[in-house]
């Protein structure tokens, strides 16, 4: 079979909200690589958050796309990085802050959080039990190490790959205000509800990252495959030769995908790989 590039989202695609990667997905990914296919993570998480997920890293991938396409790492080396201008990041932050949103400024080596963002995580944490609670508690600990001051200064707005927000904000209003400068996607992690999203540099998304990775590996776009479940996976699903929506994906993503596999917890990755001849 012709060598393929396969890009996989993490949350809702490979990893469930229980923090578990199905054993069948691990098996499928490892077997596909053994057969010579190139596998990449393509996540909205920033790099430290990707690397903190041992379950993902230990599967073994050829590279990582993080921050929704703003950073690409191959063989441990960053080969691409994009950021919002400091002025744009500041205007967006102040706009969201005025609305009372929780905000996180994602950089390549850290994530800076305002206290409303931490409060959201605490409310989610209080609703969890057992292992899920323990996992989220550890993530919250990392957030508390990088609080934003009440009035951030210029250095906080520099080199921001992506802004994540939650709270009382209209995505339509945000797009009217900033879509000429940014890519804006709705939140794709169900546990945080529907009142949030993420904002990145204009023209930079998982689809643009897929094209860069394919070119670097000498793989035609027709030989690329993408798996996802949420709004920020849309450009990647559209760019790939075959775009695959998980069975638990949003209805909008399913409608634009070339194929719909079963849900994450119903062997969705394994079944999709099998149907496409990757394994």
């Amino acid at each position: 079979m012709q060598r393929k590039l396969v890009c996989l989202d993490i949350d809702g695609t490979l990893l469930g909200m229980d923090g578990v990667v199905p054993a069948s997905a691990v098996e499928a990914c490892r077997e596909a690589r053994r057969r010579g296919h190139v596998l990449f993570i393509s996540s909205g998480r920033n790099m430290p958050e990707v690397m903190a997920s041992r379950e993902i890293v230990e599967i073994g991938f050829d590279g990582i796309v993080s921050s929704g396409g703003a950073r690409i790492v191959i063989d441990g080396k960053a080969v691409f990085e994009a950021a919002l201008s400091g002025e744009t990041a500041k205007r967006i932050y102040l706009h969201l802050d005025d609305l009372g949103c929780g905000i996180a400024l994602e950089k390549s080596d850290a994530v800076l959080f305002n206290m409303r963002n931490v409060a959201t995580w605490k409310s989610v944490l209080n609703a969890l039990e057992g292992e899920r609670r323990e996992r989220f508690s550890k993530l919250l600990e990392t957030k508390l190490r990088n609080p934003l001051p009440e009035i951030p200064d210029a250095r906080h707005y520099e080199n921001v790959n992506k802004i994540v927000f939650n709270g009382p904000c209209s995505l339509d209003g945000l797009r009217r205000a900033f879509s000429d400068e940014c890519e804006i996607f709705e939140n794709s992690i169900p546990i945080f509800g529907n009142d949030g999203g993420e904002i990145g540099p204009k023209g930079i998304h998982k689809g643009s990252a897929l094209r860069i990775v394919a070119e670097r590996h000498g793989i035609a776009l027709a030989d690329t495959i993408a798996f996802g479940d949420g709004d920020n996976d849309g450009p990647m699903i559209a760019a790939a030769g075959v775009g695959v929506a998980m069975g638990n994906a949003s209805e909008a993503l399913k409608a634009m995908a070339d194929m719909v596999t079963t849900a994450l917890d119903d062997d969705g990755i394994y079944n999709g790989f099998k149907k496409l001849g990757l394994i």
Side-chain angles (χ1 to χ4, degrees):
M1 181 184 184
Q2 180 75 23
R3 184 177 68 147
K4 304 289 186 180
L5 167 65
V6 185
C7 293
L8 301 109
D9 171 51
I10 293 181
D11 298 292
T13 299
L14 267 178
L15 188 75
M17 286 309 299
D18 57 0
V20 174
V21 179
S24 63
V26 176
E27 177 188 349
C29 289
R30 288 176 175 168
E31 176 61 18
R33 286 190 78 206
R34 190 189 70 79
R35 295 191 183 196
H37 301 299
V38 178
L39 267 65
F40 264 69
I41 285 297
S42 188
S43 178
R45 298 185 184 194
N46 83 327
M47 188 60 69
E49 290 177 323
V50 174
M51 299 307 293
S53 182
R54 187 182 70 257
E55 297 83 356
I56 295 296
V57 174
E58 290 180 353
I59 294 172
F61 289 90
D62 295 286
I64 297 170
V65 173
S66 61
S67 293
R71 197 162 195 263
I72 302 173
V73 170
I74 300 175
D75 295 330
K77 297 181 180 179
V79 299
F80 177 84
E81 185 160 4
L84 296 162
S85 72
E87 187 271 337
T88 298
K90 179 178 180 179
R91 286 193 294 108
I92 294 172
Y93 181 91
L94 294 176
H95 177 86
L96 294 170
D97 189 54
D98 284 345
L99 293 172
C101 292
I103 310 167
L105 302 179
E106 290 190 1
K107 304 192 179 194
S108 62
D109 58 352
V111 185
L112 311 179
F113 302 87
N114 73 352
M115 293 314 295
R116 282 192 294 267
N117 184 278
V118 172
T120 298
W121 276 76
K122 286 183 176 179
S123 68
V124 169
L125 181 64
N126 290 336
L128 300 177
E129 297 178 351
E131 187 176 353
R132 293 179 77 193
R133 183 181 178 87
E134 184 178 345
R135 290 174 185 275
F136 268 75
S137 180
K138 289 179 180 178
L139 283 171
L140 182 57
E141 287 176 14
T142 66
K143 294 177 181 297
L144 293 174
R145 296 175 195 153
N146 294 297
L148 278 164
E150 186 173 347
I151 303 176
D153 59 41
R155 64 190 169 89
H156 295 112
Y157 300 119
E158 295 300 325
N159 303 312
V160 173
N161 301 124
K162 194 181 75 174
I163 298 174
V164 179
F165 66 94
N166 60 274
C169 177
S170 160
L171 251 65
D172 288 340
L174 200 60
R175 285 172 175 142
R176 284 194 296 271
F178 298 106
S179 63
D180 288 345
E181 304 168 75
C182 309
E183 300 291 337
I184 302 170
F185 299 101
E186 66 183 26
N187 172 54
S188 58
I189 303 179
I191 198 168
F192 289 104
N194 299 317
D195 61 346
E198 53 190 60
I199 306 168
K202 188 69 176 177
I204 303 299
H205 42 63
K206 292 185 181 184
S208 62
L210 180 145
R211 294 187 185 97
I212 291 170
V213 172
E215 182 176 358
R216 289 189 70 93
H217 284 83
I219 297 174
L221 281 178
D223 291 319
T224 63
I225 301 170
F227 284 75
D229 73 300
D231 188 42
N232 69 356
D233 296 314
M236 179 173 70
I237 295 295
V242 178
V244 183
M246 303 299 290
N248 50 281
S250 66
E251 292 305 314
L253 196 73
K254 288 179 181 178
M256 69 181 297
D258 301 298
M259 174 183 138
V260 179
T261 186
T262 52
L264 179 158
D265 58 3
D266 188 22
D267 299 323
I269 294 297
Y270 184 92
N271 291 335
F273 275 39
K274 193 74 174 176
K275 186 172 182 178
L276 291 167
L278 295 168
I279 57 176

